[in-house]
Structure formats: C-alpha cells, structure tokens
Amino acid sequence: LWLLDRVHEAKEAGRLHGIDPETFAISLIGSVTAAAARWVEDPREESLSDAAPRVRTLFARLLETTSP
C-alpha cells in the first residue's frame, strides 16, 4: 500500500513519463521479493525489518527522479 501510494503520487506529479503506475509498482515489488529471497538464502546479521527503511528511501528517491 505504501508503495502504490508513492507510485500514484509520482504519476500525478508527472514523474513516470507515460509509464503505467501499476506496472511500475509491480516491478518494484518484484525487486523487493528477489532481495528478500536472497536475504533468506544468505542470512545477514541485520533483519529485513531493519533494512526496510533504507529500501523505502531507495524507492522514494527513485520515484522522485524517474525520467524517460
């Protein structure tokens, strides 16, 4: 839900430049899923919950700067 809200905000602000917001969101979710799977396969000292704020920041910045 957080991600979909940010993607729709980016679309409304004109930052997706014709990219479908649902497709963009699904692609980002796929990235998170792949990262989580790797995390499970190669455990780290930090939990995924601890890493979540950094992932949110990454996506927020990506949505702020998306260009054609």
Side-chain angles (χ1 to χ4, degrees):
L1 185 58
W2 175 88
L3 181 58
L4 287 174
D5 289 343
R6 298 298 81 73
V7 171
H8 283 289
E9 288 171 6
K11 175 71 173 179
E12 290 172 9
R15 290 191 301 266
L16 293 185
H17 306 283
I19 298 170
D20 175 63
E22 298 293 325
T23 301
F24 194 83
I26 289 169
S27 298
L28 293 178
I29 291 168
S31 298
V32 170
T33 302
R38 180 162 184 204
W39 206 286
V40 169
E41 292 173 0
D42 185 19
R44 304 172 192 252
E45 291 181 23
E46 179 182 45
S47 73
L48 280 172
S49 294
D50 293 335
R54 290 195 316 275
V55 173
R56 284 183 175 201
T57 298
L58 172 69
F59 288 165
R61 288 186 183 165
L62 176 62
L63 290 168
E64 290 170 1
T65 60
T66 301
S67 60

